[in-house]
Amino acid sequence: MAESRKNEIAAAAFRAEVDETLLHSVAAEPSTANTKEIYKALAYVARKQLAIRWVNTQIEDRKKRARRIYYMSMEFLIGRTLDNALSALGLRDDAAAAFDGAGGPSLTEIIECEPDAGLGNGGLGRLAACFLDSMATLELPSWGYGMRYEYGMFAQSIINGGQVEHPDSWLIDGTAWEFPRPGTAFPVRFGGTAEHHGEWAEWSATEAVEARAFDYVIPGHGTDRVSTLRLWRAGAPAQIDLNAFNSGDYARAAEFKNRFENISWVLYPNDSTPAGRELRLRQEYFFVSASMQDIILHHLEEHKHINNLADQIAIHLNDTHPAIAVAELMRLFCDEYGMLWTTAWSQCQRIFSYTNHTLMPEALETWPVSLIQYLLPRHMLIIYRINQEFLAEVDRLFPGDFDLMRSVSLIDEGDGSEGSKRVRMAHLCIVGSHRINGVSQLHSDLMVRTIFAGFARLYPERFHNKTNGVTQRRWLAQANPSLSALLDRSIGKDWRLNLNRLRELRPLASDARFRVDFAAAKRKNKIRLADYVRRETGVALNPDSLFDVQVKRIHEYKRQLLNVLHVITRYDAILHGQADDAAPRCVIFAGKAASSYHMAKQIIRLINDIASVINNDPRVQDRLKVVFVPNYNVSIAELIMPAADLSEQISTAGTEASGTGNMKFALNGALTIGTEDGANIEIRDNVGTDNIFIFGNNAQQVEILRRSGYDPRSIYQNNPQLNEALNKIDGGFFSPQERRRYHDLFNSLVNYGDHYLLLADYGDYVETQNRVDALYRTPVEWQRKTILNVAEMGPFSSDRTIREYAIDTWHLGASLKKV
Ligand code: 26V
């Protein structure tokens, strides 16, 4: 039978299944169903296949008594699910054939109905989601454990130029993707007292919350195997305090219910100031305790006893948020299973591994001893004992080195008073793990030279690098259909499972025909983004201009303000007739500021104020446009990244642990302008210095500058362009209604030390931006370099990262899919 006929039949069968599902599961009549209802039916069709794959995967793993990896993370930034699920299940072509051009909504319109699952803040959460995709695809027996937040990352709107936050009620219409597990629930206890009885202790807690499991099936690509993402929701234990209900006191009953359920209500914005709030610690222990109980139960179903736990499982700690797991496992071993402390401790160290995701000292998590004492008294005793034995070991290895002892102790003694003592969660992770990873080569090096230097002396063999990666299934195949189709035609489809196949693009960089097609795919993506931006903001972007993009969380260290300074300088140059050979540009920003982070919110406001001045200045016309795209999330990233010509990765060297946006942009054919920071360095090493724009002080120079008395004010005074740009900000040029609006921001750069050294890098940045223009004016050269960038992105697949973790960290090399 002809291929096209076969496809027609498959599409008709698929449509029939969707119609049947509409009728029976959505209760909608197929001919009048609305787009949301069709979305729901499509999701149910996929869900049915996912359920089968989940069951088969569990049967297989149980039969093999497979060693499992459990990835513990407070955040999983999943985004939408339907498109990815259809692709993984091999249903996407049928779905497109069934809906596109059939009169009703297109498949794209259906896909775009789905709300984003934004259960994370940024890079750390999205990394966890990419890892799940890779773990499933590489066929690892793997589980993610996290929190089922009722409200994820807040939704952002821009009102009068400023950020306004709205609750993200992503579950309001329910979700087709979760499988509630009514049989899987565990009590999680808090408070009370703990008392030693020799090796073990008795903890009489005062409260218990119930953790209820909800599973999300993560399909692998090119395999029928799946991973499980198990998220916990908090609830009041069903039987208690019926009195309030019975006596008709519903207000009290509701209050009681809330006291339990609030634990899983809302995602904390972990990347502002460390919250240090009791509810956050409750969240951390809640999901850790439920997960550990679940893991052990699972183990005991397959094995008679718990003594071989370390042979059978690996647990990975995604940053310090799940650090209390170390103490919890010790508690379970010793108090619940009667294991000897030393036996328990050596199993514990074999089971856990930990990845650090930031060097920023203010971001390292610590908790007041008094709070842990109050909420988790037994765990505090355990932490003290771990610390006591650890410090004794330090003393054996480096006798009398009290500075070392102080620096590595699990307890920060503060000013010596009882109330100022804090537990250092990273230290708990390090002593309780056999492996500690950084997320890029530079970050891993700095980690052992700075924040963990003491530990690197004690345990040098524990520290390793695992450079981050991203899944090409979402960030290329799904996000960029135009480029994907071109790749499929040119080098085949295999890059989805083996990103190194992109190397076959190398020779095509000098193929004129390919370059034209490559540029056409980019142009299509730019039009797609321009349409969206016009709809959302009213700003018209010309797809023939250079799309210069910086999208990420708004943070001073990421230096959106440096970008802003360049924009103003370019604007001035246009006004002064000094930019005649500049390429027309659209500078695109997006990102959220933590709601309590005043300076980050000011940065958003400034960008919008500048945008309205520049976009409305008739002298500028199409030569410069500035736009802030509201509510940056995974889906908007999927729209923006493929449309970028230039990727802004301009953090102060030594501050961005890795970055993963940098990888997504380059993979989609943008050139990077960036500092020698995080994974930018490795991107440069792979694509070659000629194919990337690197500028500014490197990490070592930053260190020297800071030590040798950096003086931003003199730079401000001596660089006329910079002087002009900063004066415009400070003088109210962009905020004529409120001239002093940005005075504090100006001061932070010019008079209060410019902590992130923007002024030090400004000159080189502007010069480098001018080199970008020069290259953009020779399209053939530009295209050649973008193609070479894509060709060298193979190493930045999260499949590579997960392979390394599986082999070096989790002892799961034997389970990896054979290629
Ligand atoms: C937290 C905080 C809290 C206090 C104020 C400063 C600050 C700065 C950063 C953070 C981030 C916490 C962890 C995190 O999200 N790290 C990100 O992890 C990504 C995945 O490894 C990595 O690509 C990013 O570079 C890193 O910032």
Side-chain angles (χ1 to χ4, degrees):
M1 205 185 327
E3 196 62 29
S4 64
R5 181 74 193 123
K6 264 199 235 161
N7 292 345
E8 250 172 63
I9 294 171
F14 186 83
R15 182 75 215 220
E17 191 180 352
V18 175
D19 286 354
E20 205 259 355
T21 309
L22 270 168
L23 207 52
H24 293 138
S25 304
V26 187
E29 193 223 315
S31 64
T32 58
N34 64 35
T35 313
K36 278 191 176 171
E37 290 166 334
I38 298 174
Y39 156 72
K40 209 165 163 185
L42 257 171
Y44 282 150
V45 169
R47 176 189 163 99
K48 209 161 140 184
Q49 300 302 316
L50 292 173
I52 296 167
R53 289 188 180 196
W54 189 85
V55 167
N56 288 336
T57 303
Q58 305 322 310
I59 291 172
E60 187 178 320
D61 288 351
R62 213 169 302 137
K63 201 161 80 199
K64 281 198 216 149
R65 300 212 275 175
R67 180 176 165 87
R68 316 283 203 300
I69 165 66
Y70 298 105
Y71 193 84
M72 304 248 266
S73 178
M74 283 290 276
E75 306 189 6
F76 289 90
L77 233 183
I78 303 284
R80 290 183 180 135
T81 292
L82 179 60
D83 198 356
N84 179 60
L86 291 174
S87 301
L89 295 166
L91 296 173
R92 203 186 184 287
D93 291 342
D94 293 344
F99 288 96
D100 291 346
S106 67
L107 180 59
T108 305
E109 283 162 348
I110 297 167
I111 284 168
E112 287 173 359
C113 274
E114 182 175 353
D116 235 64
L119 310 185
N121 275 281
L124 170 144
R126 183 54 232 178
L127 184 76
C130 284
F131 279 4
L132 287 177
D133 180 88
S134 288
M135 289 192 277
T137 299
L138 295 177
E139 302 188 338
L140 292 180
S142 48
W143 293 60
Y145 274 113
M147 281 276 265
R148 183 184 175 280
Y149 302 107
E150 208 73 30
Y151 296 92
M153 187 65 218
F154 65 80
Q156 175 197 58
S157 60
I158 301 297
I159 295 178
N160 294 329
Q163 166 175 296
V164 177
E165 302 97 22
H166 311 273
D168 160 49
S169 20
W170 70 291
L171 286 169
I172 196 145
D173 295 328
T175 169
W177 302 113
E178 71 181 11
F179 294 86
R181 300 295 188 192
T184 305
F186 298 98
V188 176
R189 298 180 298 154
F190 293 97
T193 53
E195 214 177 299
H196 265 296
H197 302 276
E199 276 288 280
W200 68 287
E202 188 171 301
W203 173 20
S204 346
T206 49
E207 293 175 60
V209 180
E210 193 169 88
R212 300 181 185 138
F214 291 78
D215 286 353
Y216 291 72
V217 179
I218 311 296
H221 292 251
T223 171
D224 286 351
R225 285 185 54 89
V226 302
S227 289
T228 311
L229 173 57
R230 178 159 284 181
L231 303 181
W232 300 103
R233 176 187 189 174
Q239 69 287 6
I240 16 177
D241 215 31
L242 282 173
N243 286 340
F245 282 92
N246 293 341
S247 62
D249 187 352
Y250 295 126
R252 211 178 83 76
E255 192 190 305
F256 175 80
K257 195 166 137 73
N258 289 350
R259 253 216 345 264
F260 288 91
E261 295 185 349
N262 70 9
I263 290 187
S264 56
W265 268 349
V266 50
L267 167 75
Y268 265 94
N270 80 312
D271 75 339
S272 58
T273 45
R277 303 284 301 276
E278 180 182 326
L279 181 58
R280 166 74 179 199
L281 182 59
R282 281 180 186 267
Q283 287 189 331
E284 294 184 354
Y285 179 65
F286 168 79
F287 104 93
V288 159
S289 172
S291 307
M292 300 304 300
Q293 294 182 64
D294 197 35
I295 290 168
I296 289 177
L297 191 74
H298 214 131
H299 176 85
L300 291 176
E301 280 165 12
E302 282 168 33
H303 302 269
K304 297 274 138 3
H305 53 80
I306 202 172
N307 301 336
N308 63 338
L309 192 67
D311 301 325
Q312 291 303 127
I313 71 163
I315 301 178
H316 198 82
L317 306 173
N318 193 29
D319 217 319
T320 56
H321 317 145
I324 197 71
V326 173
E328 175 69 353
L329 183 58
M330 287 303 286
R331 184 185 73 81
L332 291 166
F333 274 153
C334 297
D335 298 356
E336 306 284 331
Y337 295 94
M339 205 182 279
L340 288 176
W341 177 273
T342 44
T343 320
W345 185 239
S346 77
Q347 283 221 53
C348 203
Q349 289 178 316
R350 286 171 60 207
I351 287 171
F352 286 112
S353 51
Y354 153 63
T355 294
N356 169 276
H357 294 266
T358 180
L359 298 174
M360 313 276 262
E362 67 270 38
L364 295 176
E365 205 179 11
T366 64
W367 289 102
V369 165
S370 56
L371 183 61
I372 298 191
Q373 186 86 58
Y374 164 73
L375 279 183
L376 305 167
R378 173 58 178 133
H379 298 77
M380 199 56 239
L381 291 178
I382 290 172
I383 291 168
Y384 275 139
R385 172 141 183 212
I386 293 172
N387 198 37
Q388 193 184 2
E389 301 195 354
F390 165 61
L391 292 179
E393 186 184 334
V394 176
D395 197 40
R396 273 195 301 277
L397 292 168
F398 295 94
D401 191 338
F402 298 112
D403 285 339
L404 177 65
M405 261 197 206
R406 245 190 310 278
S407 81
V408 295
S409 172
L410 304 201
I411 309 293
D412 175 348
E413 302 288 339
D415 61 15
S417 70
E418 202 51 37
S420 68
K421 284 199 198 171
R422 302 179 75 94
V423 179
R424 297 160 162 162
M425 302 312 267
H427 294 202
L428 179 58
C429 291
I430 295 173
V431 300
S433 300
H434 62 289
R435 282 292 166 116
I436 298 103
N437 301 296
V439 291
S440 72
Q441 194 58 60
L442 175 70
H443 169 245
S444 299
D445 293 346
L446 291 173
M447 198 172 76
V448 297
R449 285 211 306 109
T450 62
I451 52 171
F452 300 149
F455 287 105
R457 282 172 68 196
L458 293 164
Y459 311 124
E461 72 293 345
R462 289 193 198 176
F463 290 85
H464 294 265
N465 175 243
K466 295 279 169 283
T467 299
N468 285 167
V470 303
T471 169
Q472 67 268 33
R473 271 83 59 184
R474 181 172 294 258
W475 295 108
L476 184 53
Q478 175 172 313
N480 197 341
S482 320
L483 180 56
S484 297
L486 174 61
L487 294 178
D488 291 350
R489 272 185 274 129
S490 326
I491 61 170
K493 295 179 171 224
D494 209 40
W495 53 269
R496 285 173 181 72
L497 300 180
N498 178 4
L499 199 62
N500 290 324
R501 296 298 289 271
L502 292 178
R503 277 198 298 246
E504 290 162 33
L505 290 173
R506 276 179 202 160
L508 293 172
S510 25
D511 174 334
R513 178 68 232 211
F514 183 82
R515 282 197 306 264
V516 169
D517 292 346
F518 193 91
K522 177 62 74 180
R523 193 163 193 285
K524 210 166 156 189
N525 295 330
K526 290 166 80 172
I527 292 170
R528 183 176 70 162
L529 176 61
D531 286 346
Y532 178 83
V533 168
R534 190 203 288 275
R535 278 200 309 278
E536 293 296 315
T537 69
V539 178
L541 305 181
N542 178 354
D544 293 318
S545 58
L546 187 162
F547 280 19
D548 171 351
V549 185
Q550 187 173 22
V551 291
K552 46 181 81 243
R553 287 302 288 257
I554 311 293
H555 240 294
E556 287 164 283
Y557 84 83
K558 294 175 187 281
R559 300 202 296 190
Q560 280 91 357
L561 274 180
L562 179 58
N563 189 341
V564 161
L565 289 173
H566 164 250
V567 168
I568 301 173
T569 298
R570 183 165 286 254
Y571 174 55
D572 283 338
I574 292 171
L575 298 188
H576 298 140
Q578 292 159 346
D580 294 341
D581 49 0
R585 273 202 200 216
C586 298
V587 183
I588 299 165
F589 293 89
K592 291 173 183 173
S595 48
S596 60
Y597 190 172
H598 175 72
M599 184 60 91
K601 288 182 146 178
Q602 284 291 95
I603 294 171
I604 293 178
R605 185 115 202 246
L606 176 61
I607 292 169
N608 283 301
D609 279 347
I610 289 174
S612 78
V613 169
I614 294 181
N615 298 346
N616 292 308
D617 187 334
R619 297 168 295 179
V620 175
Q621 295 184 345
D622 249 7
R623 295 164 70 192
L624 184 59
K625 280 269 157 68
V626 180
V627 63
F628 188 95
V629 183
N631 200 33
Y632 185 58
N633 60 16
V634 172
S635 300
I636 292 173
E638 289 174 36
L639 187 66
I640 294 179
M641 307 257 174
D645 295 305
L646 188 64
S647 155
E648 299 272 355
Q649 307 300 335
I650 60 177
S651 49
T652 314
T655 63
E656 188 69 274
S658 161
T660 44
N662 46 4
M663 302 168 188
K664 295 164 196 166
F665 278 109
L667 182 61
N668 281 280
L671 297 187
T672 305
I673 182 165
T675 46
E676 289 178 62
D677 200 15
N680 297 352
I681 297 176
E682 287 151 84
I683 293 176
R684 177 200 64 194
D685 293 345
N686 278 274
V687 305
T689 6
D690 291 347
N691 301 314
I692 190 167
F693 295 96
I694 297 291
F695 73 94
N697 288 284
N698 65 26
Q700 206 189 343
Q701 292 165 327
V702 164
E703 224 180 287
I704 294 170
L705 257 177
R706 282 187 173 150
R707 261 192 284 118
S708 64
Y710 168 58
D711 180 12
R713 194 170 174 85
S714 75
I715 305 179
Y716 160 73
Q717 283 164 339
N718 293 316
N719 184 325
Q721 294 171 307
L722 174 62
N723 193 275
E724 176 61 27
L726 284 164
N727 288 346
K728 275 201 162 78
I729 294 173
D730 189 37
F733 184 90
F734 300 108
S735 53
Q737 329 79 329
E738 189 192 343
R739 297 206 163 267
R740 290 180 64 79
R741 185 176 289 164
Y742 299 113
H743 187 60
D744 288 348
L745 186 151
F746 168 88
N747 268 339
S748 80
L749 298 179
V750 175
N751 295 319
Y752 301 150
D754 181 19
H755 186 62
Y756 294 105
L757 309 183
L758 282 71
L759 306 201
D761 282 345
Y762 166 87
D764 196 10
Y765 181 54
V766 170
E767 242 170 65
T768 308
Q769 287 285 14
N770 293 336
R771 289 200 286 121
V772 170
D773 285 271
L775 184 69
Y776 199 72
R777 286 195 308 272
T778 51
V780 168
E781 266 307 285
W782 181 278
Q783 283 150 21
R784 213 179 56 80
K785 288 180 195 283
T786 58
I787 295 164
L788 289 176
N789 261 263
V790 177
E792 304 304 334
M793 290 308 288
F796 299 96
S797 168
S798 46
D799 296 347
R800 189 270 311 145
T801 315
I802 288 299
R803 245 175 226 296
E804 290 180 3
Y805 271 110
I807 295 168
D808 305 337
T809 313
W810 302 332
H811 306 296
L812 271 166
S815 301
L816 284 167
K817 184 178 180 180
K818 309 286 175 293
V819 278

